[in-house]
Amino acid sequence: MNNAADGYDALSWVDISRRIDPVYLAQIKRHSVVDSIASTNDWAMLQFKEGETPAVCFSEQQTQGRGRNGRDWVSPKTQNIYMSLAWSFALKPENLHALSLVVGVVIVQLLKQYGINAQLKWPNDVLVRGKKIAGVLLESRIGVKKNLNVVIGIGLNIEMNSALGKKIDRQWTDMSREIGSKKSICRNKIAGILLTRLLQACENYGRLGFGAYKDAWKSYDICRHAELEITTSDGVVRGKGLGISDNGALRVMLNGQEKIFYAADVSIRVKQ
Ligand code: BTN
């Protein structure tokens, strides 16, 4: 187990759970805080088989961390957060995709509490000054009772070791760099706040949908008015971002016509 002698405080359920709102803490049926795991998302998906959800897993390290669109998520054992929550929704699959946008809002609002102004690149890349600070990976399956079993995986950079960060093929940052303080950031506290907000968001989303989060998402949107490059299974297209639709899809002006995307890899083109 990690300890202060290793140079950082270990994640611990005792320390995380005392930061979780008791109303939400009481809902959690299973939790796991481990030193190392292939992917916290895999652990979370398994919990549906046992019927023990909501369930949450935190790990100090992931040996096979996954990102969106088949990418790896570099998950060194330093001081980041890797967590997954398993939650079952009584929703149809077509009503699920805005949930990933809601999770982005949750992370941006958490960062704001620490004085960090982050933005969102559709659907849920969390960026600070154009550099990625957090990512969200949702994986879902239809359950036996036709409910939608969803795993929400979050990777949040807290204090990434620069040498290990070189493995990341995109510009990145972390909370410590953005706060600019040598004072150590308490991961257990961040984990507790993040989990409380996430549980709250899942409950709200199940009842009310995207509506309660849409305006917030729009206020953090960096794709609106930007020149975008959009990669889908059909190829690559370029157009201007028009914002998001009421159900969280990406609206883009392509050759004078508005087109809607529900799934795509988006990058922002920098004007030469
Ligand atoms: C992205 O590509 O932006 C999504 C990254 C998601 C990473 C998190 S870390 C915890 C969870 N487990 C994984 O294997 N992936 C997600």
Side-chain angles (χ1 to χ4, degrees):
M1 196 37 137
N2 306 307
N3 54 43
D6 298 324
Y8 61 97
D9 289 327
L11 288 172
S12 105
W13 182 249
V14 172
D15 282 343
I16 294 171
S17 59
R18 69 187 177 87
R19 268 94 180 196
I20 301 173
D21 182 319
V23 174
Y24 292 105
L25 185 59
Q27 294 178 15
I28 299 172
K29 294 235 179 73
R30 195 172 274 187
H31 62 264
S32 174
V33 179
V34 294
D35 242 13
S36 183
I37 199 164
S39 161
T40 52
N41 267 29
D42 292 343
W43 180 94
M45 192 54 88
L46 281 175
Q47 307 315 306
F48 292 110
K49 282 201 177 138
E50 318 276 330
E52 291 286 304
T53 61
V56 65
C57 179
F58 291 89
S59 183
E60 293 285 4
Q61 170 189 44
Q62 294 184 118
T63 53
Q64 290 167 45
R66 292 194 292 279
R68 291 178 59 239
N69 301 315
R71 294 192 183 91
D72 291 338
W73 187 257
V74 177
S75 309
K77 192 175 197 160
T78 49
Q79 298 193 347
N80 300 324
I81 285 181
Y82 316 112
M83 68 156 291
S84 298
L85 172 69
W87 183 282
S88 196
F89 290 88
L91 288 176
K92 295 201 173 108
E94 59 269 29
N95 294 328
L96 184 70
H97 76 264
L99 175 65
S100 83
L101 281 74
V102 169
V103 179
V105 170
V106 165
I107 300 170
V108 171
Q109 291 177 343
L110 168 82
L111 292 171
K112 195 172 242 176
Q113 202 172 320
Y114 283 83
I116 300 171
N117 282 321
Q119 290 179 301
L120 289 165
K121 178 165 75 65
W122 188 89
N124 56 28
D125 277 344
V126 185
L127 308 176
V128 180
R129 299 177 298 109
K131 299 175 182 186
K132 189 148 168 167
I133 195 165
V136 179
L137 177 67
L138 255 68
E139 295 179 315
S140 61
R141 307 244 167 94
I142 312 257
V144 276
K145 292 177 190 151
K146 299 277 177 253
N147 45 329
L148 213 48
N149 292 338
V150 182
V151 168
I152 301 167
I154 297 177
L156 172 59
N157 297 340
I158 307 285
E159 201 168 357
M160 180 86 86
N161 173 304
S162 298
L164 296 168
K166 285 201 177 112
K167 289 187 185 164
I168 303 172
D169 60 358
R170 300 174 162 205
Q171 286 207 307
W172 60 269
T173 187
D174 60 28
M175 287 185 70
S176 172
R177 283 172 173 81
E178 294 307 322
I179 292 170
S181 144
K182 290 262 174 265
K183 228 169 70 186
S184 178
I185 302 166
C186 179
R187 285 183 307 155
N188 286 307
K189 182 172 174 191
I190 296 171
I193 301 171
L194 184 59
L195 183 53
T196 298
R197 302 258 175 89
L198 206 54
L199 291 162
Q200 202 170 24
C202 286
E203 197 177 84
N204 285 339
Y205 189 82
R207 275 188 307 121
L208 308 166
F210 186 43
Y213 293 86
K214 196 177 64 195
D215 287 345
W217 202 96
K218 284 182 176 175
S219 68
Y220 306 130
D221 183 1
I222 49 166
C223 291
R224 190 153 179 252
H225 303 314
E227 295 297 328
L228 305 177
E229 185 166 278
I230 296 148
T231 308
T232 66
S233 47
D234 296 335
V236 181
V237 291
R238 289 174 173 180
K240 194 177 195 126
L242 297 175
I244 52 166
S245 66
D246 281 351
N247 60 357
L250 177 68
R251 298 170 52 219
V252 183
M253 187 60 81
L254 286 178
N255 306 321
Q257 275 199 324
E258 182 176 331
K259 193 150 189 260
I260 299 277
F261 291 88
Y262 287 92
D265 197 18
V266 175
S267 54
I268 294 177
R269 293 171 61 205
V270 180
K271 289 200 183 104
Q272 303 294 323

mmCIF file with all atom_site columns, all heavy atoms in Angstrom, residues 36 63 68 188 231 247-248 261:
data_model
loop_
_atom_site.group_PDB
_atom_site.id
_atom_site.type_symbol
_atom_site.label_atom_id
_atom_site.label_alt_id
_atom_site.label_comp_id
_atom_site.label_asym_id
_atom_site.label_entity_id
_atom_site.label_seq_id
_atom_site.pdbx_PDB_ins_code
_atom_site.Cartn_x
_atom_site.Cartn_y
_atom_site.Cartn_z
_atom_site.occupancy
_atom_site.B_iso_or_equiv
_atom_site.pdbx_formal_charge
_atom_site.auth_seq_id
_atom_site.auth_comp_id
_atom_site.auth_asym_id
_atom_site.auth_atom_id
_atom_site.pdbx_PDB_model_num
ATOM 1  N N   . SER A 1 36  ? -3.560  -1.346 -7.596  1.00 0.00 ? 36  SER A N   1
ATOM 2  C CA  . SER A 1 36  ? -3.362  -1.499 -9.025  1.00 0.00 ? 36  SER A CA  1
ATOM 3  C C   . SER A 1 36  ? -4.466  -2.379 -9.600  1.00 0.00 ? 36  SER A C   1
ATOM 4  O O   . SER A 1 36  ? -4.933  -3.311 -8.950  1.00 0.00 ? 36  SER A O   1
ATOM 5  C CB  . SER A 1 36  ? -2.000  -2.148 -9.277  1.00 0.00 ? 36  SER A CB  1
ATOM 6  O OG  . SER A 1 36  ? -1.774  -2.244 -10.656 1.00 0.00 ? 36  SER A OG  1
ATOM 7  N N   . THR A 1 63  ? -3.156  -0.685 -15.182 1.00 0.00 ? 63  THR A N   1
ATOM 8  C CA  . THR A 1 63  ? -2.156  -1.253 -16.092 1.00 0.00 ? 63  THR A CA  1
ATOM 9  C C   . THR A 1 63  ? -2.681  -1.310 -17.525 1.00 0.00 ? 63  THR A C   1
ATOM 10 O O   . THR A 1 63  ? -1.917  -1.428 -18.464 1.00 0.00 ? 63  THR A O   1
ATOM 11 C CB  . THR A 1 63  ? -1.755  -2.667 -15.629 1.00 0.00 ? 63  THR A CB  1
ATOM 12 O OG1 . THR A 1 63  ? -2.959  -3.437 -15.481 1.00 0.00 ? 63  THR A OG1 1
ATOM 13 C CG2 . THR A 1 63  ? -1.016  -2.625 -14.308 1.00 0.00 ? 63  THR A CG2 1
ATOM 14 N N   . ARG A 1 68  ? -11.227 7.055  -24.732 1.00 0.00 ? 68  ARG A N   1
ATOM 15 C CA  . ARG A 1 68  ? -12.238 6.992  -25.788 1.00 0.00 ? 68  ARG A CA  1
ATOM 16 C C   . ARG A 1 68  ? -11.577 6.634  -27.113 1.00 0.00 ? 68  ARG A C   1
ATOM 17 O O   . ARG A 1 68  ? -10.389 6.819  -27.298 1.00 0.00 ? 68  ARG A O   1
ATOM 18 C CB  . ARG A 1 68  ? -12.967 8.335  -25.914 1.00 0.00 ? 68  ARG A CB  1
ATOM 19 C CG  . ARG A 1 68  ? -13.844 8.645  -24.719 1.00 0.00 ? 68  ARG A CG  1
ATOM 20 C CD  . ARG A 1 68  ? -14.507 10.004 -24.860 1.00 0.00 ? 68  ARG A CD  1
ATOM 21 N NE  . ARG A 1 68  ? -15.318 10.070 -26.055 1.00 0.00 ? 68  ARG A NE  1
ATOM 22 C CZ  . ARG A 1 68  ? -15.136 10.954 -27.042 1.00 0.00 ? 68  ARG A CZ  1
ATOM 23 N NH1 . ARG A 1 68  ? -14.192 11.852 -26.964 1.00 0.00 ? 68  ARG A NH1 1
ATOM 24 N NH2 . ARG A 1 68  ? -15.924 10.939 -28.101 1.00 0.00 ? 68  ARG A NH2 1
ATOM 25 N N   . ASN A 1 188 ? -8.047  12.354 -1.623  1.00 0.00 ? 188 ASN A N   1
ATOM 26 C CA  . ASN A 1 188 ? -9.218  11.740 -0.977  1.00 0.00 ? 188 ASN A CA  1
ATOM 27 C C   . ASN A 1 188 ? -10.378 12.722 -0.920  1.00 0.00 ? 188 ASN A C   1
ATOM 28 O O   . ASN A 1 188 ? -11.537 12.344 -1.101  1.00 0.00 ? 188 ASN A O   1
ATOM 29 C CB  . ASN A 1 188 ? -8.846  11.257 0.426   1.00 0.00 ? 188 ASN A CB  1
ATOM 30 C CG  . ASN A 1 188 ? -7.992  10.006 0.373   1.00 0.00 ? 188 ASN A CG  1
ATOM 31 O OD1 . ASN A 1 188 ? -8.369  9.023  -0.256  1.00 0.00 ? 188 ASN A OD1 1
ATOM 32 N ND2 . ASN A 1 188 ? -6.823  10.045 1.001   1.00 0.00 ? 188 ASN A ND2 1
ATOM 33 N N   . THR A 1 231 ? -13.899 13.390 -36.964 1.00 0.00 ? 231 THR A N   1
ATOM 34 C CA  . THR A 1 231 ? -13.586 12.070 -37.507 1.00 0.00 ? 231 THR A CA  1
ATOM 35 C C   . THR A 1 231 ? -14.664 11.088 -37.078 1.00 0.00 ? 231 THR A C   1
ATOM 36 O O   . THR A 1 231 ? -14.937 10.943 -35.882 1.00 0.00 ? 231 THR A O   1
ATOM 37 C CB  . THR A 1 231 ? -12.208 11.591 -36.979 1.00 0.00 ? 231 THR A CB  1
ATOM 38 O OG1 . THR A 1 231 ? -11.252 12.616 -37.238 1.00 0.00 ? 231 THR A OG1 1
ATOM 39 C CG2 . THR A 1 231 ? -11.775 10.306 -37.647 1.00 0.00 ? 231 THR A CG2 1
ATOM 40 N N   . ASN A 1 247 ? -30.566 17.548 -26.992 1.00 0.00 ? 247 ASN A N   1
ATOM 41 C CA  . ASN A 1 247 ? -30.224 16.245 -26.391 1.00 0.00 ? 247 ASN A CA  1
ATOM 42 C C   . ASN A 1 247 ? -28.723 15.969 -26.392 1.00 0.00 ? 247 ASN A C   1
ATOM 43 O O   . ASN A 1 247 ? -28.289 14.826 -26.256 1.00 0.00 ? 247 ASN A O   1
ATOM 44 C CB  . ASN A 1 247 ? -31.009 15.102 -27.051 1.00 0.00 ? 247 ASN A CB  1
ATOM 45 C CG  . ASN A 1 247 ? -30.724 15.002 -28.527 1.00 0.00 ? 247 ASN A CG  1
ATOM 46 O OD1 . ASN A 1 247 ? -29.977 15.815 -29.072 1.00 0.00 ? 247 ASN A OD1 1
ATOM 47 N ND2 . ASN A 1 247 ? -31.307 14.011 -29.180 1.00 0.00 ? 247 ASN A ND2 1
ATOM 48 N N   . GLY A 1 248 ? -27.935 17.029 -26.562 1.00 0.00 ? 248 GLY A N   1
ATOM 49 C CA  . GLY A 1 248 ? -26.489 16.898 -26.368 1.00 0.00 ? 248 GLY A CA  1
ATOM 50 C C   . GLY A 1 248 ? -25.686 16.482 -27.590 1.00 0.00 ? 248 GLY A C   1
ATOM 51 O O   . GLY A 1 248 ? -24.492 16.213 -27.472 1.00 0.00 ? 248 GLY A O   1
ATOM 52 N N   . PHE A 1 261 ? -24.045 15.368 -35.055 1.00 0.00 ? 261 PHE A N   1
ATOM 53 C CA  . PHE A 1 261 ? -23.222 14.192 -34.769 1.00 0.00 ? 261 PHE A CA  1
ATOM 54 C C   . PHE A 1 261 ? -23.537 13.683 -33.363 1.00 0.00 ? 261 PHE A C   1
ATOM 55 O O   . PHE A 1 261 ? -23.571 14.458 -32.412 1.00 0.00 ? 261 PHE A O   1
ATOM 56 C CB  . PHE A 1 261 ? -21.735 14.549 -34.837 1.00 0.00 ? 261 PHE A CB  1
ATOM 57 C CG  . PHE A 1 261 ? -21.265 14.864 -36.225 1.00 0.00 ? 261 PHE A CG  1
ATOM 58 C CD1 . PHE A 1 261 ? -21.354 16.163 -36.715 1.00 0.00 ? 261 PHE A CD1 1
ATOM 59 C CD2 . PHE A 1 261 ? -20.746 13.872 -37.043 1.00 0.00 ? 261 PHE A CD2 1
ATOM 60 C CE1 . PHE A 1 261 ? -20.938 16.464 -38.001 1.00 0.00 ? 261 PHE A CE1 1
ATOM 61 C CE2 . PHE A 1 261 ? -20.320 14.166 -38.334 1.00 0.00 ? 261 PHE A CE2 1
ATOM 62 C CZ  . PHE A 1 261 ? -20.419 15.469 -38.814 1.00 0.00 ? 261 PHE A CZ  1
#
